[in-house]
Amino acid sequence: MEGFLAALVVSFGVIFVAELGDKSQLMALTFATRFKPIPVLIGITVATAVVHLASVAIGTGLGAVLPTEWISLVAGLAFLAFGAWTLRGDKLTEEEKRKAEKTSKTAIVAVSVAFFLAELGDKTMLATITLATKYGWFGTWLGSTIGMVAADALAILVGRLLGRRLPEKTIKYGAAILFAISGLWLILEAVHELT
């Protein structure tokens, strides 16, 4: 798999997994209890597209100035850190829950602003930056945006159908394992390139 397709598939998979059990996924569930799912998904898509566009711009810039083997090494270490971060888990604070439940603005604007702010510095943003250093901007941007929206749509769907969240422990461990595997793969690739 080369170029655009590789960037699209890898970014989709990594960000989809990273978003499972993330704070913004919990926000999506909260907003979906107050608003209809389609406006919530539109708001998520707008915010995600903007944040991930900035992320790939940063990642592409770093990729242009740093040697690829060092990028792979740093990316691998970052993915191991993302795995640990995933195990730690995210929770909505009471203030974040209140903001999601009591907003008086239109659903799309409220969700877009909340998600934009929640994603700044989040692991999905950092993962997108990392992926863009290796795979290029457009496929990474498209794959990461679709991956995040798909994960949040799944949360909304499951939350609305079942009335409860996915098993948090299973999601946490599964995502952490996938991050660890990706991180180790990148580190081994970097070590091979450096030797």
Side-chain angles (χ1 to χ4, degrees), residues 14-15 18-19 22 24 47-48 50-59 79 82 85 115-132 140 144 148 179:
V14 167
I15 300 305
E19 185 64 7
D22 192 62
S24 50
T48 301
V50 172
V51 169
H52 288 197
L53 188 59
S55 301
V56 296
I58 293 167
F79 274 52
F82 297 150
W85 189 347
F115 268 78
F116 178 82
L117 296 173
E119 283 304 302
L120 293 177
D122 192 52
K123 69 183 170 200
T124 52
M125 180 185 184
L126 299 174
T128 301
I129 291 170
T130 303
L131 289 164
T140 300
S144 65
M148 186 160 166
F179 269 123

PDB file of all heavy atoms in Angstrom, residues 14-15 18-19 22 24 47-48 50-59 79 82 85 115-132 140 144 148 179:
ATOM      1  N   VAL A  14      -5.887   4.279  13.076  1.00  0.00           N
ATOM      2  CA  VAL A  14      -5.256   4.790  14.300  1.00  0.00           C
ATOM      3  C   VAL A  14      -6.189   5.758  15.023  1.00  0.00           C
ATOM      4  O   VAL A  14      -6.378   5.666  16.239  1.00  0.00           O
ATOM      5  CB  VAL A  14      -3.903   5.466  13.974  1.00  0.00           C
ATOM      6  CG1 VAL A  14      -3.387   6.281  15.158  1.00  0.00           C
ATOM      7  CG2 VAL A  14      -2.876   4.420  13.569  1.00  0.00           C
ATOM      8  N   ILE A  15      -6.784   6.686  14.302  1.00  0.00           N
ATOM      9  CA  ILE A  15      -7.630   7.692  14.948  1.00  0.00           C
ATOM     10  C   ILE A  15      -8.946   7.085  15.426  1.00  0.00           C
ATOM     11  O   ILE A  15      -9.445   7.434  16.501  1.00  0.00           O
ATOM     12  CB  ILE A  15      -7.866   8.906  14.020  1.00  0.00           C
ATOM     13  CG1 ILE A  15      -6.530   9.567  13.669  1.00  0.00           C
ATOM     14  CG2 ILE A  15      -8.823   9.911  14.662  1.00  0.00           C
ATOM     15  CD1 ILE A  15      -5.667   9.997  14.859  1.00  0.00           C
ATOM     16  N   ALA A  18      -7.974   5.455  18.595  1.00  0.00           N
ATOM     17  CA  ALA A  18      -7.619   6.454  19.605  1.00  0.00           C
ATOM     18  C   ALA A  18      -8.853   7.143  20.177  1.00  0.00           C
ATOM     19  O   ALA A  18      -8.878   7.530  21.344  1.00  0.00           O
ATOM     20  CB  ALA A  18      -6.676   7.496  19.006  1.00  0.00           C
ATOM     21  N   GLU A  19      -9.869   7.305  19.362  1.00  0.00           N
ATOM     22  CA  GLU A  19     -11.077   8.021  19.784  1.00  0.00           C
ATOM     23  C   GLU A  19     -11.968   7.165  20.679  1.00  0.00           C
ATOM     24  O   GLU A  19     -12.751   7.705  21.465  1.00  0.00           O
ATOM     25  CB  GLU A  19     -11.857   8.482  18.544  1.00  0.00           C
ATOM     26  CG  GLU A  19     -13.059   9.321  18.832  1.00  0.00           C
ATOM     27  CD  GLU A  19     -12.775  10.665  19.493  1.00  0.00           C
ATOM     28  OE1 GLU A  19     -11.600  11.051  19.645  1.00  0.00           O
ATOM     29  OE2 GLU A  19     -13.743  11.324  19.888  1.00  0.00           O
ATOM     30  N   ASP A  22     -12.409   8.048  24.369  1.00  0.00           N
ATOM     31  CA  ASP A  22     -11.812   9.367  24.570  1.00  0.00           C
ATOM     32  C   ASP A  22     -12.862  10.340  25.117  1.00  0.00           C
ATOM     33  O   ASP A  22     -14.061  10.133  24.973  1.00  0.00           O
ATOM     34  CB  ASP A  22     -11.264   9.871  23.225  1.00  0.00           C
ATOM     35  CG  ASP A  22     -10.386  11.092  23.374  1.00  0.00           C
ATOM     36  OD1 ASP A  22      -9.344  10.986  24.045  1.00  0.00           O
ATOM     37  OD2 ASP A  22     -10.743  12.150  22.828  1.00  0.00           O
ATOM     38  N   SER A  24     -13.749  13.240  24.026  1.00  0.00           N
ATOM     39  CA  SER A  24     -14.640  13.803  23.012  1.00  0.00           C
ATOM     40  C   SER A  24     -15.715  12.807  22.589  1.00  0.00           C
ATOM     41  O   SER A  24     -16.823  13.203  22.219  1.00  0.00           O
ATOM     42  CB  SER A  24     -13.860  14.336  21.806  1.00  0.00           C
ATOM     43  OG  SER A  24     -12.954  13.398  21.337  1.00  0.00           O
ATOM     44  N   ALA A  47     -15.572  20.521  13.395  1.00  0.00           N
ATOM     45  CA  ALA A  47     -14.478  20.736  14.345  1.00  0.00           C
ATOM     46  C   ALA A  47     -13.291  19.824  14.050  1.00  0.00           C
ATOM     47  O   ALA A  47     -12.135  20.261  14.060  1.00  0.00           O
ATOM     48  CB  ALA A  47     -14.969  20.510  15.772  1.00  0.00           C
ATOM     49  N   THR A  48     -13.570  18.565  13.773  1.00  0.00           N
ATOM     50  CA  THR A  48     -12.510  17.599  13.501  1.00  0.00           C
ATOM     51  C   THR A  48     -11.741  17.967  12.242  1.00  0.00           C
ATOM     52  O   THR A  48     -10.502  17.909  12.220  1.00  0.00           O
ATOM     53  CB  THR A  48     -13.103  16.181  13.365  1.00  0.00           C
ATOM     54  OG1 THR A  48     -13.773  15.857  14.576  1.00  0.00           O
ATOM     55  CG2 THR A  48     -12.025  15.150  13.094  1.00  0.00           C
ATOM     56  N   VAL A  50     -11.249  20.881  10.923  1.00  0.00           N
ATOM     57  CA  VAL A  50     -10.405  22.058  11.161  1.00  0.00           C
ATOM     58  C   VAL A  50      -9.186  21.696  12.017  1.00  0.00           C
ATOM     59  O   VAL A  50      -8.049  22.033  11.678  1.00  0.00           O
ATOM     60  CB  VAL A  50     -11.226  23.194  11.814  1.00  0.00           C
ATOM     61  CG1 VAL A  50     -10.332  24.338  12.257  1.00  0.00           C
ATOM     62  CG2 VAL A  50     -12.296  23.689  10.852  1.00  0.00           C
ATOM     63  N   VAL A  51      -9.413  21.000  13.119  1.00  0.00           N
ATOM     64  CA  VAL A  51      -8.295  20.640  14.009  1.00  0.00           C
ATOM     65  C   VAL A  51      -7.309  19.715  13.305  1.00  0.00           C
ATOM     66  O   VAL A  51      -6.095  19.892  13.393  1.00  0.00           O
ATOM     67  CB  VAL A  51      -8.816  19.990  15.317  1.00  0.00           C
ATOM     68  CG1 VAL A  51      -7.676  19.385  16.121  1.00  0.00           C
ATOM     69  CG2 VAL A  51      -9.555  21.017  16.155  1.00  0.00           C
ATOM     70  N   HIS A  52      -7.810  18.747  12.559  1.00  0.00           N
ATOM     71  CA  HIS A  52      -6.912  17.802  11.896  1.00  0.00           C
ATOM     72  C   HIS A  52      -6.201  18.433  10.700  1.00  0.00           C
ATOM     73  O   HIS A  52      -5.084  18.019  10.365  1.00  0.00           O
ATOM     74  CB  HIS A  52      -7.665  16.530  11.518  1.00  0.00           C
ATOM     75  CG  HIS A  52      -7.996  15.697  12.721  1.00  0.00           C
ATOM     76  ND1 HIS A  52      -8.356  14.376  12.641  1.00  0.00           N
ATOM     77  CD2 HIS A  52      -8.014  15.985  14.038  1.00  0.00           C
ATOM     78  CE1 HIS A  52      -8.578  13.904  13.852  1.00  0.00           C
ATOM     79  NE2 HIS A  52      -8.386  14.880  14.710  1.00  0.00           N
ATOM     80  N   LEU A  53      -6.795  19.445  10.083  1.00  0.00           N
ATOM     81  CA  LEU A  53      -6.096  20.173   9.026  1.00  0.00           C
ATOM     82  C   LEU A  53      -4.895  20.909   9.606  1.00  0.00           C
ATOM     83  O   LEU A  53      -3.793  20.873   9.037  1.00  0.00           O
ATOM     84  CB  LEU A  53      -7.042  21.151   8.318  1.00  0.00           C
ATOM     85  CG  LEU A  53      -6.484  21.840   7.076  1.00  0.00           C
ATOM     86  CD1 LEU A  53      -6.076  20.817   6.014  1.00  0.00           C
ATOM     87  CD2 LEU A  53      -7.522  22.802   6.500  1.00  0.00           C
ATOM     88  N   ALA A  54      -5.083  21.534  10.761  1.00  0.00           N
ATOM     89  CA  ALA A  54      -3.958  22.183  11.436  1.00  0.00           C
ATOM     90  C   ALA A  54      -2.915  21.135  11.856  1.00  0.00           C
ATOM     91  O   ALA A  54      -1.703  21.367  11.731  1.00  0.00           O
ATOM     92  CB  ALA A  54      -4.447  22.962  12.655  1.00  0.00           C
ATOM     93  N   SER A  55      -3.374  19.995  12.315  1.00  0.00           N
ATOM     94  CA  SER A  55      -2.461  18.932  12.747  1.00  0.00           C
ATOM     95  C   SER A  55      -1.592  18.427  11.601  1.00  0.00           C
ATOM     96  O   SER A  55      -0.387  18.244  11.765  1.00  0.00           O
ATOM     97  CB  SER A  55      -3.257  17.756  13.324  1.00  0.00           C
ATOM     98  OG  SER A  55      -4.028  18.154  14.420  1.00  0.00           O
ATOM     99  N   VAL A  56      -2.202  18.195  10.437  1.00  0.00           N
ATOM    100  CA  VAL A  56      -1.408  17.682   9.318  1.00  0.00           C
ATOM    101  C   VAL A  56      -0.466  18.748   8.780  1.00  0.00           C
ATOM    102  O   VAL A  56       0.614  18.430   8.282  1.00  0.00           O
ATOM    103  CB  VAL A  56      -2.275  17.079   8.177  1.00  0.00           C
ATOM    104  CG1 VAL A  56      -3.038  15.862   8.659  1.00  0.00           C
ATOM    105  CG2 VAL A  56      -3.193  18.085   7.538  1.00  0.00           C
ATOM    106  N   ALA A  57      -0.843  20.014   8.912  1.00  0.00           N
ATOM    107  CA  ALA A  57       0.070  21.087   8.497  1.00  0.00           C
ATOM    108  C   ALA A  57       1.322  21.074   9.372  1.00  0.00           C
ATOM    109  O   ALA A  57       2.454  21.170   8.863  1.00  0.00           O
ATOM    110  CB  ALA A  57      -0.621  22.448   8.574  1.00  0.00           C
ATOM    111  N   ILE A  58       1.138  20.921  10.659  1.00  0.00           N
ATOM    112  CA  ILE A  58       2.274  20.839  11.586  1.00  0.00           C
ATOM    113  C   ILE A  58       3.101  19.588  11.281  1.00  0.00           C
ATOM    114  O   ILE A  58       4.327  19.647  11.182  1.00  0.00           O
ATOM    115  CB  ILE A  58       1.785  20.815  13.052  1.00  0.00           C
ATOM    116  CG1 ILE A  58       1.146  22.156  13.411  1.00  0.00           C
ATOM    117  CG2 ILE A  58       2.934  20.481  14.007  1.00  0.00           C
ATOM    118  CD1 ILE A  58       0.350  22.130  14.714  1.00  0.00           C
ATOM    119  N   GLY A  59       2.430  18.457  11.133  1.00  0.00           N
ATOM    120  CA  GLY A  59       3.131  17.195  10.869  1.00  0.00           C
ATOM    121  C   GLY A  59       3.890  17.206   9.561  1.00  0.00           C
ATOM    122  O   GLY A  59       5.023  16.722   9.480  1.00  0.00           O
ATOM    123  N   PHE A  79       3.575   6.799  19.929  1.00  0.00           N
ATOM    124  CA  PHE A  79       2.477   5.828  19.937  1.00  0.00           C
ATOM    125  C   PHE A  79       2.482   5.014  21.221  1.00  0.00           C
ATOM    126  O   PHE A  79       1.418   4.667  21.736  1.00  0.00           O
ATOM    127  CB  PHE A  79       2.557   4.930  18.709  1.00  0.00           C
ATOM    128  CG  PHE A  79       1.889   5.510  17.500  1.00  0.00           C
ATOM    129  CD1 PHE A  79       2.197   6.786  17.059  1.00  0.00           C
ATOM    130  CD2 PHE A  79       0.943   4.795  16.795  1.00  0.00           C
ATOM    131  CE1 PHE A  79       1.586   7.341  15.960  1.00  0.00           C
ATOM    132  CE2 PHE A  79       0.314   5.329  15.685  1.00  0.00           C
ATOM    133  CZ  PHE A  79       0.638   6.611  15.271  1.00  0.00           C
ATOM    134  N   PHE A  82       0.858   7.234  23.601  1.00  0.00           N
ATOM    135  CA  PHE A  82      -0.583   7.275  23.375  1.00  0.00           C
ATOM    136  C   PHE A  82      -1.252   6.050  23.981  1.00  0.00           C
ATOM    137  O   PHE A  82      -2.366   6.128  24.510  1.00  0.00           O
ATOM    138  CB  PHE A  82      -0.923   7.350  21.881  1.00  0.00           C
ATOM    139  CG  PHE A  82      -0.423   8.592  21.186  1.00  0.00           C
ATOM    140  CD1 PHE A  82      -0.098   8.549  19.849  1.00  0.00           C
ATOM    141  CD2 PHE A  82      -0.267   9.789  21.861  1.00  0.00           C
ATOM    142  CE1 PHE A  82       0.362   9.667  19.188  1.00  0.00           C
ATOM    143  CE2 PHE A  82       0.199  10.920  21.222  1.00  0.00           C
ATOM    144  CZ  PHE A  82       0.517  10.865  19.877  1.00  0.00           C
ATOM    145  N   TRP A  85      -1.484   6.677  27.618  1.00  0.00           N
ATOM    146  CA  TRP A  85      -2.508   7.704  27.817  1.00  0.00           C
ATOM    147  C   TRP A  85      -3.899   7.068  27.713  1.00  0.00           C
ATOM    148  O   TRP A  85      -4.804   7.381  28.485  1.00  0.00           O
ATOM    149  CB  TRP A  85      -2.325   8.780  26.769  1.00  0.00           C
ATOM    150  CG  TRP A  85      -3.141  10.032  26.909  1.00  0.00           C
ATOM    151  CD1 TRP A  85      -4.223  10.261  27.719  1.00  0.00           C
ATOM    152  CD2 TRP A  85      -2.945  11.244  26.182  1.00  0.00           C
ATOM    153  NE1 TRP A  85      -4.707  11.524  27.527  1.00  0.00           N
ATOM    154  CE2 TRP A  85      -3.933  12.156  26.592  1.00  0.00           C
ATOM    155  CE3 TRP A  85      -2.038  11.653  25.215  1.00  0.00           C
ATOM    156  CZ2 TRP A  85      -4.026  13.443  26.075  1.00  0.00           C
ATOM    157  CZ3 TRP A  85      -2.135  12.925  24.706  1.00  0.00           C
ATOM    158  CH2 TRP A  85      -3.108  13.806  25.136  1.00  0.00           C
ATOM    159  N   PHE A 115     -16.142  20.647  20.528  1.00  0.00           N
ATOM    160  CA  PHE A 115     -15.200  19.647  20.016  1.00  0.00           C
ATOM    161  C   PHE A 115     -13.880  20.275  19.603  1.00  0.00           C
ATOM    162  O   PHE A 115     -12.819  19.703  19.817  1.00  0.00           O
ATOM    163  CB  PHE A 115     -15.809  18.851  18.857  1.00  0.00           C
ATOM    164  CG  PHE A 115     -16.492  17.614  19.317  1.00  0.00           C
ATOM    165  CD1 PHE A 115     -17.756  17.678  19.876  1.00  0.00           C
ATOM    166  CD2 PHE A 115     -15.870  16.390  19.240  1.00  0.00           C
ATOM    167  CE1 PHE A 115     -18.386  16.556  20.338  1.00  0.00           C
ATOM    168  CE2 PHE A 115     -16.492  15.245  19.698  1.00  0.00           C
ATOM    169  CZ  PHE A 115     -17.757  15.326  20.253  1.00  0.00           C
ATOM    170  N   PHE A 116     -13.934  21.431  19.001  1.00  0.00           N
ATOM    171  CA  PHE A 116     -12.706  22.123  18.613  1.00  0.00           C
ATOM    172  C   PHE A 116     -11.829  22.350  19.836  1.00  0.00           C
ATOM    173  O   PHE A 116     -10.641  22.025  19.837  1.00  0.00           O
ATOM    174  CB  PHE A 116     -13.031  23.459  17.924  1.00  0.00           C
ATOM    175  CG  PHE A 116     -11.809  24.234  17.540  1.00  0.00           C
ATOM    176  CD1 PHE A 116     -11.128  23.929  16.377  1.00  0.00           C
ATOM    177  CD2 PHE A 116     -11.335  25.260  18.340  1.00  0.00           C
ATOM    178  CE1 PHE A 116      -9.984  24.626  16.015  1.00  0.00           C
ATOM    179  CE2 PHE A 116     -10.200  25.968  17.999  1.00  0.00           C
ATOM    180  CZ  PHE A 116      -9.520  25.647  16.828  1.00  0.00           C
ATOM    181  N   LEU A 117     -12.417  22.879  20.892  1.00  0.00           N
ATOM    182  CA  LEU A 117     -11.650  23.152  22.111  1.00  0.00           C
ATOM    183  C   LEU A 117     -11.174  21.868  22.789  1.00  0.00           C
ATOM    184  O   LEU A 117     -10.052  21.806  23.295  1.00  0.00           O
ATOM    185  CB  LEU A 117     -12.482  23.998  23.077  1.00  0.00           C
ATOM    186  CG  LEU A 117     -12.833  25.400  22.568  1.00  0.00           C
ATOM    187  CD1 LEU A 117     -13.786  26.092  23.528  1.00  0.00           C
ATOM    188  CD2 LEU A 117     -11.571  26.221  22.349  1.00  0.00           C
ATOM    189  N   ALA A 118     -12.020  20.841  22.783  1.00  0.00           N
ATOM    190  CA  ALA A 118     -11.649  19.572  23.422  1.00  0.00           C
ATOM    191  C   ALA A 118     -10.511  18.872  22.687  1.00  0.00           C
ATOM    192  O   ALA A 118      -9.700  18.179  23.292  1.00  0.00           O
ATOM    193  CB  ALA A 118     -12.866  18.652  23.505  1.00  0.00           C
ATOM    194  N   GLU A 119     -10.441  19.041  21.377  1.00  0.00           N
ATOM    195  CA  GLU A 119      -9.439  18.333  20.578  1.00  0.00           C
ATOM    196  C   GLU A 119      -8.065  19.001  20.585  1.00  0.00           C
ATOM    197  O   GLU A 119      -7.073  18.357  20.252  1.00  0.00           O
ATOM    198  CB  GLU A 119      -9.918  18.176  19.135  1.00  0.00           C
ATOM    199  CG  GLU A 119     -10.946  17.090  18.984  1.00  0.00           C
ATOM    200  CD  GLU A 119     -10.468  15.747  19.498  1.00  0.00           C
ATOM    201  OE1 GLU A 119      -9.428  15.235  19.026  1.00  0.00           O
ATOM    202  OE2 GLU A 119     -11.127  15.196  20.392  1.00  0.00           O
ATOM    203  N   LEU A 120      -7.997  20.275  20.927  1.00  0.00           N
ATOM    204  CA  LEU A 120      -6.698  20.947  20.940  1.00  0.00           C
ATOM    205  C   LEU A 120      -5.786  20.281  21.966  1.00  0.00           C
ATOM    206  O   LEU A 120      -6.085  20.249  23.155  1.00  0.00           O
ATOM    207  CB  LEU A 120      -6.868  22.442  21.261  1.00  0.00           C
ATOM    208  CG  LEU A 120      -7.595  23.252  20.201  1.00  0.00           C
ATOM    209  CD1 LEU A 120      -7.764  24.696  20.681  1.00  0.00           C
ATOM    210  CD2 LEU A 120      -6.868  23.217  18.865  1.00  0.00           C
ATOM    211  N   GLY A 121      -4.681  19.732  21.502  1.00  0.00           N
ATOM    212  CA  GLY A 121      -3.732  19.053  22.378  1.00  0.00           C
ATOM    213  C   GLY A 121      -4.144  17.658  22.791  1.00  0.00           C
ATOM    214  O   GLY A 121      -3.448  17.016  23.578  1.00  0.00           O
ATOM    215  N   ASP A 122      -5.258  17.152  22.273  1.00  0.00           N
ATOM    216  CA  ASP A 122      -5.730  15.814  22.612  1.00  0.00           C
ATOM    217  C   ASP A 122      -4.881  14.768  21.893  1.00  0.00           C
ATOM    218  O   ASP A 122      -4.189  15.061  20.918  1.00  0.00           O
ATOM    219  CB  ASP A 122      -7.207  15.682  22.215  1.00  0.00           C
ATOM    220  CG  ASP A 122      -7.858  14.442  22.796  1.00  0.00           C
ATOM    221  OD1 ASP A 122      -7.749  14.241  24.016  1.00  0.00           O
ATOM    222  OD2 ASP A 122      -8.469  13.678  22.025  1.00  0.00           O
ATOM    223  N   LYS A 123      -4.972  13.513  22.353  1.00  0.00           N
ATOM    224  CA  LYS A 123      -4.145  12.464  21.752  1.00  0.00           C
ATOM    225  C   LYS A 123      -4.459  12.245  20.279  1.00  0.00           C
ATOM    226  O   LYS A 123      -3.579  11.895  19.504  1.00  0.00           O
ATOM    227  CB  LYS A 123      -4.245  11.158  22.539  1.00  0.00           C
ATOM    228  CG  LYS A 123      -5.568  10.469  22.457  1.00  0.00           C
ATOM    229  CD  LYS A 123      -5.591   9.224  23.336  1.00  0.00           C
ATOM    230  CE  LYS A 123      -7.007   8.709  23.417  1.00  0.00           C
ATOM    231  NZ  LYS A 123      -7.220   7.848  24.541  1.00  0.00           N
ATOM    232  N   THR A 124      -5.720  12.466  19.856  1.00  0.00           N
ATOM    233  CA  THR A 124      -6.028  12.292  18.433  1.00  0.00           C
ATOM    234  C   THR A 124      -5.369  13.377  17.589  1.00  0.00           C
ATOM    235  O   THR A 124      -4.938  13.113  16.471  1.00  0.00           O
ATOM    236  CB  THR A 124      -7.554  12.268  18.184  1.00  0.00           C
ATOM    237  OG1 THR A 124      -8.147  13.414  18.778  1.00  0.00           O
ATOM    238  CG2 THR A 124      -8.176  11.010  18.730  1.00  0.00           C
ATOM    239  N   MET A 125      -5.268  14.592  18.123  1.00  0.00           N
ATOM    240  CA  MET A 125      -4.561  15.659  17.407  1.00  0.00           C
ATOM    241  C   MET A 125      -3.077  15.324  17.302  1.00  0.00           C
ATOM    242  O   MET A 125      -2.467  15.442  16.240  1.00  0.00           O
ATOM    243  CB  MET A 125      -4.747  17.003  18.106  1.00  0.00           C
ATOM    244  CG  MET A 125      -4.039  18.146  17.409  1.00  0.00           C
ATOM    245  SD  MET A 125      -4.182  19.677  18.345  1.00  0.00           S
ATOM    246  CE  MET A 125      -3.365  20.793  17.213  1.00  0.00           C
ATOM    247  N   LEU A 126      -2.501  14.892  18.407  1.00  0.00           N
ATOM    248  CA  LEU A 126      -1.075  14.550  18.420  1.00  0.00           C
ATOM    249  C   LEU A 126      -0.791  13.335  17.534  1.00  0.00           C
ATOM    250  O   LEU A 126       0.232  13.288  16.846  1.00  0.00           O
ATOM    251  CB  LEU A 126      -0.607  14.311  19.857  1.00  0.00           C
ATOM    252  CG  LEU A 126      -0.753  15.519  20.794  1.00  0.00           C
ATOM    253  CD1 LEU A 126      -0.406  15.138  22.215  1.00  0.00           C
ATOM    254  CD2 LEU A 126       0.082  16.685  20.323  1.00  0.00           C
ATOM    255  N   ALA A 127      -1.697  12.370  17.535  1.00  0.00           N
ATOM    256  CA  ALA A 127      -1.524  11.203  16.666  1.00  0.00           C
ATOM    257  C   ALA A 127      -1.594  11.617  15.196  1.00  0.00           C
ATOM    258  O   ALA A 127      -0.841  11.116  14.360  1.00  0.00           O
ATOM    259  CB  ALA A 127      -2.584  10.142  16.963  1.00  0.00           C
ATOM    260  N   THR A 128      -2.483  12.548  14.871  1.00  0.00           N
ATOM    261  CA  THR A 128      -2.603  13.030  13.488  1.00  0.00           C
ATOM    262  C   THR A 128      -1.335  13.756  13.061  1.00  0.00           C
ATOM    263  O   THR A 128      -0.854  13.567  11.938  1.00  0.00           O
ATOM    264  CB  THR A 128      -3.840  13.947  13.348  1.00  0.00           C
ATOM    265  OG1 THR A 128      -5.000  13.201  13.725  1.00  0.00           O
ATOM    266  CG2 THR A 128      -4.002  14.432  11.923  1.00  0.00           C
ATOM    267  N   ILE A 129      -0.770  14.561  13.944  1.00  0.00           N
ATOM    268  CA  ILE A 129       0.510  15.233  13.646  1.00  0.00           C
ATOM    269  C   ILE A 129       1.576  14.184  13.357  1.00  0.00           C
ATOM    270  O   ILE A 129       2.309  14.267  12.370  1.00  0.00           O
ATOM    271  CB  ILE A 129       0.946  16.140  14.822  1.00  0.00           C
ATOM    272  CG1 ILE A 129       0.011  17.345  14.939  1.00  0.00           C
ATOM    273  CG2 ILE A 129       2.400  16.593  14.646  1.00  0.00           C
ATOM    274  CD1 ILE A 129       0.219  18.166  16.198  1.00  0.00           C
ATOM    275  N   THR A 130       1.636  13.185  14.218  1.00  0.00           N
ATOM    276  CA  THR A 130       2.632  12.121  14.070  1.00  0.00           C
ATOM    277  C   THR A 130       2.458  11.379  12.749  1.00  0.00           C
ATOM    278  O   THR A 130       3.434  11.123  12.032  1.00  0.00           O
ATOM    279  CB  THR A 130       2.516  11.134  15.254  1.00  0.00           C
ATOM    280  OG1 THR A 130       2.689  11.858  16.474  1.00  0.00           O
ATOM    281  CG2 THR A 130       3.564  10.049  15.170  1.00  0.00           C
ATOM    282  N   LEU A 131       1.232  11.033  12.415  1.00  0.00           N
ATOM    283  CA  LEU A 131       0.967  10.312  11.166  1.00  0.00           C
ATOM    284  C   LEU A 131       1.326  11.159   9.945  1.00  0.00           C
ATOM    285  O   LEU A 131       1.841  10.643   8.950  1.00  0.00           O
ATOM    286  CB  LEU A 131      -0.499   9.888  11.103  1.00  0.00           C
ATOM    287  CG  LEU A 131      -0.898   8.772  12.070  1.00  0.00           C
ATOM    288  CD1 LEU A 131      -2.405   8.705  12.210  1.00  0.00           C
ATOM    289  CD2 LEU A 131      -0.325   7.445  11.622  1.00  0.00           C
ATOM    290  N   ALA A 132       1.053  12.458  10.006  1.00  0.00           N
ATOM    291  CA  ALA A 132       1.333  13.341   8.859  1.00  0.00           C
ATOM    292  C   ALA A 132       2.827  13.472   8.588  1.00  0.00           C
ATOM    293  O   ALA A 132       3.226  13.687   7.439  1.00  0.00           O
ATOM    294  CB  ALA A 132       0.714  14.717   9.084  1.00  0.00           C
ATOM    295  N   THR A 140      -3.780  11.613   5.292  1.00  0.00           N
ATOM    296  CA  THR A 140      -3.814  11.614   6.755  1.00  0.00           C
ATOM    297  C   THR A 140      -4.977  12.451   7.265  1.00  0.00           C
ATOM    298  O   THR A 140      -5.703  12.044   8.171  1.00  0.00           O
ATOM    299  CB  THR A 140      -2.480  12.139   7.328  1.00  0.00           C
ATOM    300  OG1 THR A 140      -1.420  11.297   6.882  1.00  0.00           O
ATOM    301  CG2 THR A 140      -2.511  12.179   8.848  1.00  0.00           C
ATOM    302  N   SER A 144      -7.936  10.595   9.152  1.00  0.00           N
ATOM    303  CA  SER A 144      -8.087  10.902  10.579  1.00  0.00           C
ATOM    304  C   SER A 144      -9.444  11.548  10.863  1.00  0.00           C
ATOM    305  O   SER A 144     -10.077  11.259  11.880  1.00  0.00           O
ATOM    306  CB  SER A 144      -6.945  11.790  11.069  1.00  0.00           C
ATOM    307  OG  SER A 144      -6.970  13.060  10.454  1.00  0.00           O
ATOM    308  N   MET A 148     -12.284   9.677  13.179  1.00  0.00           N
ATOM    309  CA  MET A 148     -12.826  10.265  14.399  1.00  0.00           C
ATOM    310  C   MET A 148     -14.345  10.397  14.324  1.00  0.00           C
ATOM    311  O   MET A 148     -15.054  10.065  15.285  1.00  0.00           O
ATOM    312  CB  MET A 148     -12.204  11.630  14.656  1.00  0.00           C
ATOM    313  CG  MET A 148     -12.631  12.214  15.971  1.00  0.00           C
ATOM    314  SD  MET A 148     -11.492  13.469  16.465  1.00  0.00           S
ATOM    315  CE  MET A 148     -12.453  14.229  17.743  1.00  0.00           C
ATOM    316  N   PHE A 179      -2.064   0.673  19.986  1.00  0.00           N
ATOM    317  CA  PHE A 179      -1.063   1.739  19.988  1.00  0.00           C
ATOM    318  C   PHE A 179       0.332   1.172  20.253  1.00  0.00           C
ATOM    319  O   PHE A 179       1.304   1.569  19.619  1.00  0.00           O
ATOM    320  CB  PHE A 179      -1.395   2.795  21.039  1.00  0.00           C
ATOM    321  CG  PHE A 179      -2.244   3.913  20.520  1.00  0.00           C
ATOM    322  CD1 PHE A 179      -3.452   4.191  21.117  1.00  0.00           C
ATOM    323  CD2 PHE A 179      -1.838   4.690  19.452  1.00  0.00           C
ATOM    324  CE1 PHE A 179      -4.253   5.224  20.651  1.00  0.00           C
ATOM    325  CE2 PHE A 179      -2.624   5.716  18.971  1.00  0.00           C
ATOM    326  CZ  PHE A 179      -3.832   5.993  19.582  1.00  0.00           C
TER     327      PHE A 179
END
